[in-house]
Amino acid sequence: MNVPTTASRVPRVLIVTAVDVEKEAILRGLGDKAADMFDVIAAGVGPASAAAGTAAALALAAASASRLKAPAVATAPPSDAAAVDPALAQGATAPEQPDAAQASAASTAPGLLAGTGLTSAYTLVVSAGIGGGFPGVADGGSLVVADAMVAADLGSQAPDGFLSVDELGFGSSRVVADAELAVRLRDALKRAGHAVSGGTAVTVSTATGTAETAAELLRRVPDAAAEGMEGFGVATAAQQFGVPALELRGISNAVGPRDRDAWRIKDALDALQAASSILREVLTS
């Protein structure tokens, strides 16, 4: 993974998948110049792995950018620059020191960077992969660009039913996507002839396999469009670093009774590849 710095003129985007097959589909869609703007990682399956992998990538990038902003070590000769910071050996250029307004903005940023003086080297984080689609909203082979990411099974059972973490007073189970980018990406996908839906992407730790569970998810999240296992984890890590997030899903199956014979994994990966190409166009236009 390239380590982005604040010296770059081109905004960098971190794309997080669960597994390598999703990562490879995205890289095919981004094309030969993917590294100019994108870092794509496979962080593992489930919200915990997704959050940990995303946070690690964001922290590494922020720390690297901070090192590059630090004053040069007076005792280190020019020939030892690579030893002082490996990123310099890769051709990175140290940016100018931030002015007082920038430093103040960084110190009041939400999440883990608050008060550290660090700023994120990424401008967007995207959770991307294949997943389930809710019948009547997102069919197999189509795409979902989510308006929000919700941890649909984060909470507690109670005699009267499920209580979300919000209802328990322990935090929020919802992260809102970058609204402008979500709309722009959906519009671009539609113009290109792709079937695409909005709505909420629900994140679960156990993939749905029954009609009863699907109905319960819709009761909790009435505008649910897609189901995945990573989106909320990725979005939460991005939120902690003050970076906007999106979730992009290629739909491989209907959320409901588990029927492997009906899965359309290749179609979902092809849709993900196509969407990745258009994502690049949207972000550079």
Side-chain angles (χ1 to χ4, degrees):
M1 182 181 76
N2 294 323
V3 179
T5 76
T6 53
S8 174
R9 291 178 178 272
V10 179
R12 292 202 67 81
V13 176
L14 176 64
I15 301 180
V16 184
T17 71
V19 295
D20 284 337
V21 68
E22 295 166 327
K23 174 182 173 179
E24 291 161 2
I26 289 167
L27 287 172
R28 288 194 299 272
L30 294 175
D32 295 338
K33 295 184 178 180
D36 293 347
M37 183 175 178
F38 297 90
D39 293 316
V40 187
I41 63 171
V45 175
S49 292
T54 303
L58 291 168
L60 175 63
S64 177
S66 176
R67 288 198 303 271
L68 289 172
K69 288 189 289 185
V73 179
T75 57
S79 59
D80 289 339
V84 173
D85 195 316
L88 294 177
Q90 299 175 6
T93 302
E96 296 179 358
Q97 292 288 346
D99 60 24
Q102 290 174 319
S104 176
S107 67
T108 58
L112 297 177
L113 296 188
T116 66
L118 298 177
T119 55
S120 175
Y122 288 106
T123 57
L124 178 68
V125 177
V126 182
S127 174
I130 64 175
F134 284 84
V137 180
D139 297 328
S142 70
L143 292 156
V144 169
V145 179
D147 296 303
M149 291 68 73
V150 169
D153 57 3
L154 181 61
S156 175
Q157 290 184 325
D160 295 332
F162 176 81
L163 294 175
S164 70
V165 68
D166 311 69
E167 294 170 308
L168 293 169
F170 295 148
S172 176
S173 60
R174 181 182 184 88
V175 179
V176 177
D178 185 303
E180 179 184 354
L181 279 177
V183 170
R184 287 173 55 196
L185 180 55
R186 282 198 296 268
D187 288 346
L189 288 165
K190 290 175 183 177
R191 288 195 299 270
H194 299 288
V196 58
S197 304
T200 294
V202 299
T203 299
V204 295
S205 294
T206 301
T208 297
T210 68
E212 291 76 17
T213 302
E216 173 62 15
L217 287 176
L218 283 173
R219 186 190 68 78
R220 298 176 194 172
V221 188
D223 68 338
E227 175 186 275
M229 300 178 74
E230 295 79 33
F232 180 78
V234 172
T236 296
Q239 185 180 60
Q240 286 290 311
F241 282 81
V243 183
L246 288 179
E247 182 166 357
L248 170 65
R249 290 281 164 188
I251 302 304
S252 59
N253 58 278
V255 177
R258 184 177 174 85
D259 180 6
R260 295 193 62 172
D261 291 338
W263 288 2
R264 297 174 57 183
I265 292 177
K266 182 181 184 305
D267 290 340
L269 290 170
D270 288 346
L272 192 63
Q273 177 178 332
S276 299
S277 173
I278 292 173
L279 174 64
R280 181 185 181 90
E281 295 174 11
V282 168
L283 294 177
T284 55
S285 60

